[in-house]
Amino acid sequence: SSAQTGTQISMGSGVVVLADRGRVVAFTNAHVVAPGGKEAPLVEVKPFGTRTYYPARIARVLYDEKQNLDLAVLVFTDRWQRGIAAQLPPADEPIGPGRAVIAVGNPRGDEFLTDHGRIKEGDSRGSMRGIIHDALTEHGSSGGGLFDLRGRLLGINTWLVAERYGVAAEIHSLLHAFQ
């Protein structure tokens, strides 16, 4: 996704979590579409494998540094209905250290960067459960997915720790934040 606030353009990644008859809902990070807390007046998304940018509406922004919340929900229409929603693991499935993961992102506008790694530890500061992993994530990968080897979405990559480890907000914690 890309967002424009005045003359500033912000780019990041996102994950489709719902696709139904051309209506698409995607998660990204709040700092991608609302840098500094100011929502971008123009947000566009470019689904993987397409050359088309679709205008998107920011449906919700959850940002609370103390609670480790950094999420934005985008809604857009894909008239070709190509969107495929990510599958989720069961909410009670443990996500622990040593588990193999794949980080997916779109740094610097590159089409598709993936890297494998392992979960190092969990981080439960605030109300958001985080997943610390060593799969390569770069600036611009914010909002991209962290998947298990079965292709199920475990979390949304949010930030880097010590420029070495990625931190993803655990997906079920994110969904719970909306309730």
Side-chain angles (χ1 to χ4, degrees), residues 124-164:
S124 58
R125 292 174 292 162
S127 63
M128 186 58 52
R129 286 188 30 211
I131 303 168
I132 299 172
H133 61 87
D134 64 1
L136 176 67
T137 52
E138 296 184 25
H139 295 284
S141 292
S142 291
L146 183 69
F147 296 88
D148 67 13
L149 296 185
R150 293 173 62 187
R152 300 177 303 176
L153 180 64
L154 300 178
I156 302 295
N157 287 312
T158 305
W159 60 85
L160 297 171
V161 175
E163 297 295 319
R164 181 175 175 187

PDB file of all heavy atoms in Angstrom, residues 124-164:
ATOM      1  N   SER A 124       4.929  -9.930  24.994  1.00  0.00           N
ATOM      2  CA  SER A 124       3.563  -9.625  25.384  1.00  0.00           C
ATOM      3  C   SER A 124       3.447  -8.300  26.118  1.00  0.00           C
ATOM      4  O   SER A 124       2.633  -8.137  27.009  1.00  0.00           O
ATOM      5  CB  SER A 124       2.990 -10.758  26.240  1.00  0.00           C
ATOM      6  OG  SER A 124       3.797 -10.959  27.374  1.00  0.00           O
ATOM      7  N   ARG A 125       4.256  -7.324  25.724  1.00  0.00           N
ATOM      8  CA  ARG A 125       4.121  -5.998  26.328  1.00  0.00           C
ATOM      9  C   ARG A 125       2.774  -5.414  25.915  1.00  0.00           C
ATOM     10  O   ARG A 125       2.363  -5.541  24.773  1.00  0.00           O
ATOM     11  CB  ARG A 125       5.237  -5.073  25.847  1.00  0.00           C
ATOM     12  CG  ARG A 125       6.606  -5.476  26.355  1.00  0.00           C
ATOM     13  CD  ARG A 125       7.663  -4.611  25.736  1.00  0.00           C
ATOM     14  NE  ARG A 125       7.723  -4.924  24.310  1.00  0.00           N
ATOM     15  CZ  ARG A 125       8.271  -4.144  23.396  1.00  0.00           C
ATOM     16  NH1 ARG A 125       8.787  -3.000  23.737  1.00  0.00           N
ATOM     17  NH2 ARG A 125       8.303  -4.510  22.149  1.00  0.00           N
ATOM     18  N   GLY A 126       2.116  -4.763  26.825  1.00  0.00           N
ATOM     19  CA  GLY A 126       0.824  -4.162  26.512  1.00  0.00           C
ATOM     20  C   GLY A 126      -0.206  -5.230  26.215  1.00  0.00           C
ATOM     21  O   GLY A 126      -0.108  -6.361  26.657  1.00  0.00           O
ATOM     22  N   SER A 127      -1.222  -4.880  25.436  1.00  0.00           N
ATOM     23  CA  SER A 127      -2.295  -5.821  25.150  1.00  0.00           C
ATOM     24  C   SER A 127      -2.030  -6.617  23.885  1.00  0.00           C
ATOM     25  O   SER A 127      -2.775  -7.531  23.566  1.00  0.00           O
ATOM     26  CB  SER A 127      -3.617  -5.061  24.994  1.00  0.00           C
ATOM     27  OG  SER A 127      -3.533  -4.188  23.882  1.00  0.00           O
ATOM     28  N   MET A 128      -0.989  -6.304  23.167  1.00  0.00           N
ATOM     29  CA  MET A 128      -0.704  -6.946  21.898  1.00  0.00           C
ATOM     30  C   MET A 128       0.399  -7.979  22.056  1.00  0.00           C
ATOM     31  O   MET A 128       1.476  -7.670  22.545  1.00  0.00           O
ATOM     32  CB  MET A 128      -0.275  -5.902  20.870  1.00  0.00           C
ATOM     33  CG  MET A 128      -0.099  -6.443  19.480  1.00  0.00           C
ATOM     34  SD  MET A 128      -1.570  -7.236  18.809  1.00  0.00           S
ATOM     35  CE  MET A 128      -2.800  -5.979  19.074  1.00  0.00           C
ATOM     36  N   ARG A 129       0.114  -9.199  21.636  1.00  0.00           N
ATOM     37  CA  ARG A 129       1.146 -10.235  21.634  1.00  0.00           C
ATOM     38  C   ARG A 129       2.004 -10.055  20.400  1.00  0.00           C
ATOM     39  O   ARG A 129       1.499  -9.919  19.292  1.00  0.00           O
ATOM     40  CB  ARG A 129       0.508 -11.610  21.636  1.00  0.00           C
ATOM     41  CG  ARG A 129      -0.071 -11.966  22.985  1.00  0.00           C
ATOM     42  CD  ARG A 129      -0.554 -13.390  23.088  1.00  0.00           C
ATOM     43  NE  ARG A 129       0.195 -14.311  22.245  1.00  0.00           N
ATOM     44  CZ  ARG A 129      -0.347 -15.395  21.713  1.00  0.00           C
ATOM     45  NH1 ARG A 129      -1.608 -15.682  21.925  1.00  0.00           N
ATOM     46  NH2 ARG A 129       0.378 -16.209  20.978  1.00  0.00           N
ATOM     47  N   GLY A 130       3.299 -10.055  20.600  1.00  0.00           N
ATOM     48  CA  GLY A 130       4.220  -9.930  19.486  1.00  0.00           C
ATOM     49  C   GLY A 130       4.977 -11.218  19.258  1.00  0.00           C
ATOM     50  O   GLY A 130       5.126 -12.039  20.158  1.00  0.00           O
ATOM     51  N   ILE A 131       5.435 -11.403  18.033  1.00  0.00           N
ATOM     52  CA  ILE A 131       6.231 -12.567  17.657  1.00  0.00           C
ATOM     53  C   ILE A 131       7.574 -12.042  17.170  1.00  0.00           C
ATOM     54  O   ILE A 131       7.636 -11.328  16.167  1.00  0.00           O
ATOM     55  CB  ILE A 131       5.555 -13.370  16.537  1.00  0.00           C
ATOM     56  CG1 ILE A 131       4.147 -13.804  16.941  1.00  0.00           C
ATOM     57  CG2 ILE A 131       6.416 -14.570  16.143  1.00  0.00           C
ATOM     58  CD1 ILE A 131       3.321 -14.352  15.784  1.00  0.00           C
ATOM     59  N   ILE A 132       8.638 -12.359  17.882  1.00  0.00           N
ATOM     60  CA  ILE A 132       9.981 -11.932  17.483  1.00  0.00           C
ATOM     61  C   ILE A 132      10.590 -13.056  16.654  1.00  0.00           C
ATOM     62  O   ILE A 132      10.604 -14.212  17.086  1.00  0.00           O
ATOM     63  CB  ILE A 132      10.842 -11.608  18.715  1.00  0.00           C
ATOM     64  CG1 ILE A 132      10.195 -10.470  19.510  1.00  0.00           C
ATOM     65  CG2 ILE A 132      12.261 -11.233  18.294  1.00  0.00           C
ATOM     66  CD1 ILE A 132      10.844 -10.183  20.844  1.00  0.00           C
ATOM     67  N   HIS A 133      11.070 -12.711  15.456  1.00  0.00           N
ATOM     68  CA  HIS A 133      11.582 -13.724  14.540  1.00  0.00           C
ATOM     69  C   HIS A 133      12.833 -13.215  13.832  1.00  0.00           C
ATOM     70  O   HIS A 133      13.122 -12.018  13.840  1.00  0.00           O
ATOM     71  CB  HIS A 133      10.510 -14.100  13.511  1.00  0.00           C
ATOM     72  CG  HIS A 133      10.067 -12.948  12.666  1.00  0.00           C
ATOM     73  ND1 HIS A 133      10.705 -12.588  11.502  1.00  0.00           N
ATOM     74  CD2 HIS A 133       9.058 -12.053  12.824  1.00  0.00           C
ATOM     75  CE1 HIS A 133      10.108 -11.530  10.979  1.00  0.00           C
ATOM     76  NE2 HIS A 133       9.104 -11.184  11.773  1.00  0.00           N
ATOM     77  N   ASP A 134      13.570 -14.153  13.215  1.00  0.00           N
ATOM     78  CA  ASP A 134      14.796 -13.759  12.529  1.00  0.00           C
ATOM     79  C   ASP A 134      14.696 -13.822  11.001  1.00  0.00           C
ATOM     80  O   ASP A 134      15.709 -13.749  10.317  1.00  0.00           O
ATOM     81  CB  ASP A 134      15.994 -14.584  13.030  1.00  0.00           C
ATOM     82  CG  ASP A 134      15.876 -16.064  12.723  1.00  0.00           C
ATOM     83  OD1 ASP A 134      14.882 -16.492  12.098  1.00  0.00           O
ATOM     84  OD2 ASP A 134      16.788 -16.807  13.118  1.00  0.00           O
ATOM     85  N   ALA A 135      13.494 -13.935  10.458  1.00  0.00           N
ATOM     86  CA  ALA A 135      13.327 -13.849   9.006  1.00  0.00           C
ATOM     87  C   ALA A 135      13.611 -12.406   8.583  1.00  0.00           C
ATOM     88  O   ALA A 135      13.246 -11.462   9.286  1.00  0.00           O
ATOM     89  CB  ALA A 135      11.922 -14.263   8.603  1.00  0.00           C
ATOM     90  N   LEU A 136      14.272 -12.241   7.466  1.00  0.00           N
ATOM     91  CA  LEU A 136      14.654 -10.914   6.999  1.00  0.00           C
ATOM     92  C   LEU A 136      13.426 -10.036   6.772  1.00  0.00           C
ATOM     93  O   LEU A 136      12.505 -10.402   6.051  1.00  0.00           O
ATOM     94  CB  LEU A 136      15.440 -11.018   5.694  1.00  0.00           C
ATOM     95  CG  LEU A 136      15.827  -9.700   5.035  1.00  0.00           C
ATOM     96  CD1 LEU A 136      16.832  -8.945   5.897  1.00  0.00           C
ATOM     97  CD2 LEU A 136      16.389  -9.955   3.650  1.00  0.00           C
ATOM     98  N   THR A 137      13.414  -8.907   7.433  1.00  0.00           N
ATOM     99  CA  THR A 137      12.415  -7.871   7.169  1.00  0.00           C
ATOM    100  C   THR A 137      13.175  -6.569   7.024  1.00  0.00           C
ATOM    101  O   THR A 137      14.106  -6.300   7.770  1.00  0.00           O
ATOM    102  CB  THR A 137      11.370  -7.749   8.303  1.00  0.00           C
ATOM    103  OG1 THR A 137      12.050  -7.611   9.547  1.00  0.00           O
ATOM    104  CG2 THR A 137      10.462  -8.950   8.368  1.00  0.00           C
ATOM    105  N   GLU A 138      12.790  -5.794   6.043  1.00  0.00           N
ATOM    106  CA  GLU A 138      13.456  -4.527   5.772  1.00  0.00           C
ATOM    107  C   GLU A 138      12.447  -3.395   5.890  1.00  0.00           C
ATOM    108  O   GLU A 138      11.243  -3.620   5.889  1.00  0.00           O
ATOM    109  CB  GLU A 138      14.045  -4.546   4.357  1.00  0.00           C
ATOM    110  CG  GLU A 138      15.125  -5.581   4.167  1.00  0.00           C
ATOM    111  CD  GLU A 138      15.741  -5.505   2.787  1.00  0.00           C
ATOM    112  OE1 GLU A 138      15.696  -4.420   2.169  1.00  0.00           O
ATOM    113  OE2 GLU A 138      16.269  -6.511   2.328  1.00  0.00           O
ATOM    114  N   HIS A 139      12.977  -2.174   5.963  1.00  0.00           N
ATOM    115  CA  HIS A 139      12.087  -1.018   5.972  1.00  0.00           C
ATOM    116  C   HIS A 139      11.238  -1.081   4.707  1.00  0.00           C
ATOM    117  O   HIS A 139      11.756  -1.296   3.621  1.00  0.00           O
ATOM    118  CB  HIS A 139      12.896   0.278   6.042  1.00  0.00           C
ATOM    119  CG  HIS A 139      13.647   0.427   7.325  1.00  0.00           C
ATOM    120  ND1 HIS A 139      13.029   0.774   8.501  1.00  0.00           N
ATOM    121  CD2 HIS A 139      14.945   0.220   7.632  1.00  0.00           C
ATOM    122  CE1 HIS A 139      13.922   0.797   9.470  1.00  0.00           C
ATOM    123  NE2 HIS A 139      15.096   0.456   8.972  1.00  0.00           N
ATOM    124  N   GLY A 140       9.942  -0.914   4.870  1.00  0.00           N
ATOM    125  CA  GLY A 140       9.014  -1.065   3.761  1.00  0.00           C
ATOM    126  C   GLY A 140       8.279  -2.390   3.824  1.00  0.00           C
ATOM    127  O   GLY A 140       7.298  -2.603   3.132  1.00  0.00           O
ATOM    128  N   SER A 141       8.764  -3.287   4.686  1.00  0.00           N
ATOM    129  CA  SER A 141       8.055  -4.553   4.894  1.00  0.00           C
ATOM    130  C   SER A 141       6.964  -4.401   5.942  1.00  0.00           C
ATOM    131  O   SER A 141       6.204  -5.340   6.187  1.00  0.00           O
ATOM    132  CB  SER A 141       9.024  -5.654   5.331  1.00  0.00           C
ATOM    133  OG  SER A 141       9.910  -5.991   4.298  1.00  0.00           O
ATOM    134  N   SER A 142       6.887  -3.235   6.566  1.00  0.00           N
ATOM    135  CA  SER A 142       5.855  -3.001   7.580  1.00  0.00           C
ATOM    136  C   SER A 142       4.478  -3.279   6.989  1.00  0.00           C
ATOM    137  O   SER A 142       4.146  -2.814   5.910  1.00  0.00           O
ATOM    138  CB  SER A 142       5.893  -1.550   8.059  1.00  0.00           C
ATOM    139  OG  SER A 142       7.045  -1.306   8.803  1.00  0.00           O
ATOM    140  N   GLY A 143       3.709  -4.056   7.723  1.00  0.00           N
ATOM    141  CA  GLY A 143       2.363  -4.404   7.277  1.00  0.00           C
ATOM    142  C   GLY A 143       2.311  -5.714   6.528  1.00  0.00           C
ATOM    143  O   GLY A 143       1.236  -6.240   6.264  1.00  0.00           O
ATOM    144  N   GLY A 144       3.463  -6.266   6.184  1.00  0.00           N
ATOM    145  CA  GLY A 144       3.502  -7.551   5.486  1.00  0.00           C
ATOM    146  C   GLY A 144       3.237  -8.690   6.453  1.00  0.00           C
ATOM    147  O   GLY A 144       3.251  -8.533   7.664  1.00  0.00           O
ATOM    148  N   GLY A 145       3.001  -9.852   5.902  1.00  0.00           N
ATOM    149  CA  GLY A 145       2.621 -10.992   6.716  1.00  0.00           C
ATOM    150  C   GLY A 145       3.780 -11.829   7.206  1.00  0.00           C
ATOM    151  O   GLY A 145       4.842 -11.891   6.587  1.00  0.00           O
ATOM    152  N   LEU A 146       3.554 -12.478   8.332  1.00  0.00           N
ATOM    153  CA  LEU A 146       4.440 -13.513   8.848  1.00  0.00           C
ATOM    154  C   LEU A 146       3.614 -14.797   8.808  1.00  0.00           C
ATOM    155  O   LEU A 146       2.561 -14.884   9.451  1.00  0.00           O
ATOM    156  CB  LEU A 146       4.899 -13.211  10.278  1.00  0.00           C
ATOM    157  CG  LEU A 146       5.884 -14.215  10.849  1.00  0.00           C
ATOM    158  CD1 LEU A 146       7.241 -14.103  10.130  1.00  0.00           C
ATOM    159  CD2 LEU A 146       6.075 -14.003  12.344  1.00  0.00           C
ATOM    160  N   PHE A 147       4.074 -15.762   8.024  1.00  0.00           N
ATOM    161  CA  PHE A 147       3.314 -16.983   7.764  1.00  0.00           C
ATOM    162  C   PHE A 147       4.044 -18.209   8.300  1.00  0.00           C
ATOM    163  O   PHE A 147       5.273 -18.215   8.396  1.00  0.00           O
ATOM    164  CB  PHE A 147       3.105 -17.159   6.258  1.00  0.00           C
ATOM    165  CG  PHE A 147       2.269 -16.074   5.643  1.00  0.00           C
ATOM    166  CD1 PHE A 147       2.854 -14.909   5.178  1.00  0.00           C
ATOM    167  CD2 PHE A 147       0.893 -16.228   5.520  1.00  0.00           C
ATOM    168  CE1 PHE A 147       2.080 -13.903   4.607  1.00  0.00           C
ATOM    169  CE2 PHE A 147       0.119 -15.223   4.949  1.00  0.00           C
ATOM    170  CZ  PHE A 147       0.716 -14.062   4.499  1.00  0.00           C
ATOM    171  N   ASP A 148       3.276 -19.252   8.611  1.00  0.00           N
ATOM    172  CA  ASP A 148       3.907 -20.522   8.937  1.00  0.00           C
ATOM    173  C   ASP A 148       4.142 -21.285   7.629  1.00  0.00           C
ATOM    174  O   ASP A 148       3.797 -20.801   6.545  1.00  0.00           O
ATOM    175  CB  ASP A 148       3.095 -21.319   9.966  1.00  0.00           C
ATOM    176  CG  ASP A 148       1.744 -21.814   9.467  1.00  0.00           C
ATOM    177  OD1 ASP A 148       1.469 -21.780   8.243  1.00  0.00           O
ATOM    178  OD2 ASP A 148       0.939 -22.269  10.313  1.00  0.00           O
ATOM    179  N   LEU A 149       4.731 -22.448   7.721  1.00  0.00           N
ATOM    180  CA  LEU A 149       5.075 -23.196   6.509  1.00  0.00           C
ATOM    181  C   LEU A 149       3.857 -23.803   5.815  1.00  0.00           C
ATOM    182  O   LEU A 149       3.972 -24.296   4.697  1.00  0.00           O
ATOM    183  CB  LEU A 149       6.109 -24.283   6.824  1.00  0.00           C
ATOM    184  CG  LEU A 149       7.468 -23.761   7.295  1.00  0.00           C
ATOM    185  CD1 LEU A 149       8.448 -24.904   7.467  1.00  0.00           C
ATOM    186  CD2 LEU A 149       8.025 -22.715   6.346  1.00  0.00           C
ATOM    187  N   ARG A 150       2.701 -23.728   6.452  1.00  0.00           N
ATOM    188  CA  ARG A 150       1.453 -24.163   5.809  1.00  0.00           C
ATOM    189  C   ARG A 150       0.755 -22.995   5.117  1.00  0.00           C
ATOM    190  O   ARG A 150      -0.332 -23.146   4.599  1.00  0.00           O
ATOM    191  CB  ARG A 150       0.538 -24.796   6.856  1.00  0.00           C
ATOM    192  CG  ARG A 150       1.139 -26.106   7.390  1.00  0.00           C
ATOM    193  CD  ARG A 150       0.376 -26.688   8.536  1.00  0.00           C
ATOM    194  NE  ARG A 150      -0.994 -27.041   8.186  1.00  0.00           N
ATOM    195  CZ  ARG A 150      -1.890 -27.449   9.068  1.00  0.00           C
ATOM    196  NH1 ARG A 150      -1.563 -27.572  10.338  1.00  0.00           N
ATOM    197  NH2 ARG A 150      -3.104 -27.749   8.693  1.00  0.00           N
ATOM    198  N   GLY A 151       1.397 -21.825   5.157  1.00  0.00           N
ATOM    199  CA  GLY A 151       0.830 -20.651   4.493  1.00  0.00           C
ATOM    200  C   GLY A 151      -0.208 -19.909   5.308  1.00  0.00           C
ATOM    201  O   GLY A 151      -0.910 -19.042   4.795  1.00  0.00           O
ATOM    202  N   ARG A 152      -0.297 -20.203   6.588  1.00  0.00           N
ATOM    203  CA  ARG A 152      -1.279 -19.537   7.450  1.00  0.00           C
ATOM    204  C   ARG A 152      -0.672 -18.293   8.068  1.00  0.00           C
ATOM    205  O   ARG A 152       0.482 -18.289   8.494  1.00  0.00           O
ATOM    206  CB  ARG A 152      -1.770 -20.494   8.537  1.00  0.00           C
ATOM    207  CG  ARG A 152      -2.437 -21.736   7.958  1.00  0.00           C
ATOM    208  CD  ARG A 152      -2.857 -22.707   9.009  1.00  0.00           C
ATOM    209  NE  ARG A 152      -1.718 -23.093   9.831  1.00  0.00           N
ATOM    210  CZ  ARG A 152      -1.798 -23.875  10.889  1.00  0.00           C
ATOM    211  NH1 ARG A 152      -2.969 -24.365  11.274  1.00  0.00           N
ATOM    212  NH2 ARG A 152      -0.727 -24.185  11.598  1.00  0.00           N
ATOM    213  N   LEU A 153      -1.462 -17.242   8.122  1.00  0.00           N
ATOM    214  CA  LEU A 153      -1.026 -15.944   8.641  1.00  0.00           C
ATOM    215  C   LEU A 153      -0.907 -15.991  10.159  1.00  0.00           C
ATOM    216  O   LEU A 153      -1.894 -16.169  10.866  1.00  0.00           O
ATOM    217  CB  LEU A 153      -2.017 -14.857   8.225  1.00  0.00           C
ATOM    218  CG  LEU A 153      -1.714 -13.439   8.679  1.00  0.00           C
ATOM    219  CD1 LEU A 153      -0.415 -12.934   8.039  1.00  0.00           C
ATOM    220  CD2 LEU A 153      -2.871 -12.521   8.328  1.00  0.00           C
ATOM    221  N   LEU A 154       0.327 -15.812  10.660  1.00  0.00           N
ATOM    222  CA  LEU A 154       0.567 -15.788  12.105  1.00  0.00           C
ATOM    223  C   LEU A 154       0.539 -14.371  12.658  1.00  0.00           C
ATOM    224  O   LEU A 154       0.169 -14.151  13.807  1.00  0.00           O
ATOM    225  CB  LEU A 154       1.920 -16.420  12.434  1.00  0.00           C
ATOM    226  CG  LEU A 154       2.122 -17.866  12.018  1.00  0.00           C
ATOM    227  CD1 LEU A 154       3.536 -18.318  12.382  1.00  0.00           C
ATOM    228  CD2 LEU A 154       1.075 -18.772  12.644  1.00  0.00           C
ATOM    229  N   GLY A 155       0.980 -13.394  11.845  1.00  0.00           N
ATOM    230  CA  GLY A 155       1.052 -12.025  12.340  1.00  0.00           C
ATOM    231  C   GLY A 155       1.331 -11.030  11.239  1.00  0.00           C
ATOM    232  O   GLY A 155       1.567 -11.390  10.083  1.00  0.00           O
ATOM    233  N   ILE A 156       1.305  -9.757  11.626  1.00  0.00           N
ATOM    234  CA  ILE A 156       1.589  -8.644  10.726  1.00  0.00           C
ATOM    235  C   ILE A 156       2.912  -8.028  11.169  1.00  0.00           C
ATOM    236  O   ILE A 156       3.029  -7.550  12.301  1.00  0.00           O
ATOM    237  CB  ILE A 156       0.464  -7.578  10.769  1.00  0.00           C
ATOM    238  CG1 ILE A 156      -0.890  -8.202  10.408  1.00  0.00           C
ATOM    239  CG2 ILE A 156       0.807  -6.405   9.868  1.00  0.00           C
ATOM    240  CD1 ILE A 156      -0.996  -8.727   8.998  1.00  0.00           C
ATOM    241  N   ASN A 157       3.922  -8.043  10.284  1.00  0.00           N
ATOM    242  CA  ASN A 157       5.223  -7.469  10.615  1.00  0.00           C
ATOM    243  C   ASN A 157       5.077  -5.975  10.873  1.00  0.00           C
ATOM    244  O   ASN A 157       4.447  -5.264  10.099  1.00  0.00           O
ATOM    245  CB  ASN A 157       6.229  -7.727   9.492  1.00  0.00           C
ATOM    246  CG  ASN A 157       6.666  -9.166   9.464  1.00  0.00           C
ATOM    247  OD1 ASN A 157       7.011  -9.727  10.501  1.00  0.00           O
ATOM    248  ND2 ASN A 157       6.634  -9.786   8.305  1.00  0.00           N
ATOM    249  N   THR A 158       5.652  -5.535  11.984  1.00  0.00           N
ATOM    250  CA  THR A 158       5.419  -4.171  12.427  1.00  0.00           C
ATOM    251  C   THR A 158       6.691  -3.358  12.564  1.00  0.00           C
ATOM    252  O   THR A 158       6.738  -2.218  12.138  1.00  0.00           O
ATOM    253  CB  THR A 158       4.660  -4.192  13.774  1.00  0.00           C
ATOM    254  OG1 THR A 158       3.465  -4.959  13.591  1.00  0.00           O
ATOM    255  CG2 THR A 158       4.291  -2.807  14.219  1.00  0.00           C
ATOM    256  N   TRP A 159       7.709  -3.893  13.189  1.00  0.00           N
ATOM    257  CA  TRP A 159       8.933  -3.127  13.362  1.00  0.00           C
ATOM    258  C   TRP A 159      10.132  -4.062  13.489  1.00  0.00           C
ATOM    259  O   TRP A 159       9.990  -5.267  13.570  1.00  0.00           O
ATOM    260  CB  TRP A 159       8.855  -2.173  14.538  1.00  0.00           C
ATOM    261  CG  TRP A 159       8.612  -2.787  15.878  1.00  0.00           C
ATOM    262  CD1 TRP A 159       9.544  -3.306  16.712  1.00  0.00           C
ATOM    263  CD2 TRP A 159       7.367  -2.960  16.546  1.00  0.00           C
ATOM    264  NE1 TRP A 159       8.964  -3.795  17.857  1.00  0.00           N
ATOM    265  CE2 TRP A 159       7.626  -3.591  17.777  1.00  0.00           C
ATOM    266  CE3 TRP A 159       6.056  -2.643  16.225  1.00  0.00           C
ATOM    267  CZ2 TRP A 159       6.614  -3.908  18.678  1.00  0.00           C
ATOM    268  CZ3 TRP A 159       5.061  -2.970  17.126  1.00  0.00           C
ATOM    269  CH2 TRP A 159       5.339  -3.578  18.329  1.00  0.00           C
ATOM    270  N   LEU A 160      11.313  -3.447  13.519  1.00  0.00           N
ATOM    271  CA  LEU A 160      12.562  -4.175  13.686  1.00  0.00           C
ATOM    272  C   LEU A 160      13.129  -3.911  15.077  1.00  0.00           C
ATOM    273  O   LEU A 160      12.969  -2.821  15.610  1.00  0.00           O
ATOM    274  CB  LEU A 160      13.598  -3.721  12.656  1.00  0.00           C
ATOM    275  CG  LEU A 160      13.265  -3.968  11.193  1.00  0.00           C
ATOM    276  CD1 LEU A 160      14.284  -3.278  10.302  1.00  0.00           C
ATOM    277  CD2 LEU A 160      13.220  -5.445  10.912  1.00  0.00           C
ATOM    278  N   VAL A 161      13.818  -4.905  15.617  1.00  0.00           N
ATOM    279  CA  VAL A 161      14.515  -4.759  16.884  1.00  0.00           C
ATOM    280  C   VAL A 161      16.000  -4.922  16.589  1.00  0.00           C
ATOM    281  O   VAL A 161      16.411  -5.938  16.015  1.00  0.00           O
ATOM    282  CB  VAL A 161      14.056  -5.825  17.904  1.00  0.00           C
ATOM    283  CG1 VAL A 161      14.888  -5.735  19.169  1.00  0.00           C
ATOM    284  CG2 VAL A 161      12.584  -5.685  18.202  1.00  0.00           C
ATOM    285  N   ALA A 162      16.782  -3.934  16.961  1.00  0.00           N
ATOM    286  CA  ALA A 162      18.234  -3.960  16.767  1.00  0.00           C
ATOM    287  C   ALA A 162      18.611  -4.208  15.308  1.00  0.00           C
ATOM    288  O   ALA A 162      19.645  -4.792  15.038  1.00  0.00           O
ATOM    289  CB  ALA A 162      18.880  -4.997  17.686  1.00  0.00           C
ATOM    290  N   GLU A 163      17.747  -3.776  14.390  1.00  0.00           N
ATOM    291  CA  GLU A 163      17.986  -3.942  12.949  1.00  0.00           C
ATOM    292  C   GLU A 163      18.275  -5.380  12.556  1.00  0.00           C
ATOM    293  O   GLU A 163      18.830  -5.658  11.506  1.00  0.00           O
ATOM    294  CB  GLU A 163      19.136  -3.027  12.478  1.00  0.00           C
ATOM    295  CG  GLU A 163      18.861  -1.553  12.641  1.00  0.00           C
ATOM    296  CD  GLU A 163      17.710  -1.059  11.774  1.00  0.00           C
ATOM    297  OE1 GLU A 163      17.595  -1.464  10.610  1.00  0.00           O
ATOM    298  OE2 GLU A 163      16.919  -0.249  12.285  1.00  0.00           O
ATOM    299  N   ARG A 164      17.881  -6.317  13.413  1.00  0.00           N
ATOM    300  CA  ARG A 164      18.189  -7.725  13.155  1.00  0.00           C
ATOM    301  C   ARG A 164      16.972  -8.624  13.236  1.00  0.00           C
ATOM    302  O   ARG A 164      16.861  -9.585  12.497  1.00  0.00           O
ATOM    303  CB  ARG A 164      19.252  -8.179  14.149  1.00  0.00           C
ATOM    304  CG  ARG A 164      19.658  -9.604  13.973  1.00  0.00           C
ATOM    305  CD  ARG A 164      20.777  -9.961  14.894  1.00  0.00           C
ATOM    306  NE  ARG A 164      21.059 -11.390  14.767  1.00  0.00           N
ATOM    307  CZ  ARG A 164      21.889 -12.019  15.529  1.00  0.00           C
ATOM    308  NH1 ARG A 164      22.514 -11.383  16.485  1.00  0.00           N
ATOM    309  NH2 ARG A 164      22.098 -13.289  15.359  1.00  0.00           N
TER     310      ARG A 164
END
